[in-house]
Amino acid sequence: MSQHKYRMSYTKRDIKSLIYGLVMTISIYSIMTIIAIIGYSMSDVGNPVQISLRFIYLTMMVCTLILLKRIYYFSMFPWALMMIYIMTNFINSLALYTLEETFIYIIVLEIMYTNVVINHISGLMFGFILTASVANITNWICSALKNTDSLSLRLEATFFLIFYMSINAAASYVRE
């Protein structure tokens, strides 16, 4: 069975899970965006560009949810969905430049959640999952190593993310 046919049958079979996953993701990222807005307005934690980018990818996720039943069969759908998730983690990694070290694990948890969504809810095939995971961990490593304050904490978080993403990738590979 070709990859496109397999993805189509998987998506048709699990369309409700995909919809629930997108709704949950949109809800969680909306809450995180509200928290970012409150943090920025009360104490200048974060920056307005990062908040604006969060609104952009939230809008993209909402559009994907609204149009899902009409666009999931297009061959470019997996690429677009993968790019949304890569952009999500890129924006999360930008927070490393503006947040204090005590908040690093909030960013790590957001990236881990996005990785779970990519692996188990998005309906993406393993090749897309692997591409997104490599892009996300590369972005994290570049962002984490750019600032050498508390390097041991960042290395610990990097190791944890690589280990976690490897487990999820292995689960996706076995599933496929």
Side-chain angles (χ1 to χ4, degrees):
M1 181 183 294
S2 75
Q3 188 179 36
H4 179 72
K5 287 181 183 176
Y6 176 77
R7 185 184 61 79
M8 293 297 297
S9 67
Y10 176 83
T11 304
K12 283 180 185 176
R13 185 185 71 221
D14 293 337
I15 193 82
K16 286 185 180 179
S17 296
L18 183 57
I19 290 170
Y20 293 142
L22 277 170
V23 168
M24 181 77 77
T25 302
I26 290 166
S27 301
I28 288 172
Y29 284 122
S30 296
I31 291 168
M32 294 302 287
T33 301
I34 291 168
I35 291 170
I37 291 168
I38 292 170
Y40 179 71
S41 65
M42 294 179 79
S43 63
D44 285 341
V45 173
N47 76 40
V49 173
Q50 185 180 358
I51 293 169
S52 300
L53 290 172
R54 282 181 171 272
F55 276 116
I56 290 170
Y57 75 71
L58 275 171
T59 303
M60 290 173 17
M61 281 191 213
V62 169
C63 290
T64 301
L65 179 64
I66 291 169
L67 300 172
L68 183 64
K69 290 188 178 182
R70 289 185 227 147
I71 63 173
Y72 75 90
Y73 56 86
F74 288 114
S75 61
M76 292 305 290
F77 176 72
W79 289 101
L81 194 60
M82 181 182 69
M83 292 311 296
I84 290 171
Y85 289 123
I86 289 173
M87 187 174 124
T88 301
N89 276 347
F90 175 74
I91 294 166
N92 290 338
S93 295
L94 287 178
L96 287 172
Y97 296 105
T98 57
L99 293 178
E100 297 174 23
E101 292 297 323
T102 55
F103 297 114
I104 192 169
Y105 284 107
I106 292 173
I107 301 166
V108 170
L109 288 173
E110 270 191 285
I111 291 172
M112 288 171 56
Y113 176 73
T114 303
N115 188 259
V116 167
V117 170
I118 290 170
N119 280 276
H120 303 292
I121 299 172
S122 68
L124 293 175
M125 305 308 297
F126 182 71
F128 291 102
I129 291 169
L130 188 62
T131 302
S133 295
V134 168
N136 290 336
I137 199 63
T138 302
N139 178 50
W140 168 266
I141 290 170
C142 291
S143 299
L145 297 180
K146 177 82 173 160
N147 184 353
T148 57
D149 296 342
S150 68
L151 184 61
S152 63
L153 180 65
R154 290 172 187 260
L155 287 174
E156 176 186 317
T158 302
F159 173 76
F160 187 64
L161 277 173
I162 290 171
F163 183 73
Y164 185 80
M165 287 182 171
S166 299
I167 290 171
N168 277 311
S172 294
Y173 179 76
V174 169
R175 180 192 70 221
E176 194 171 313

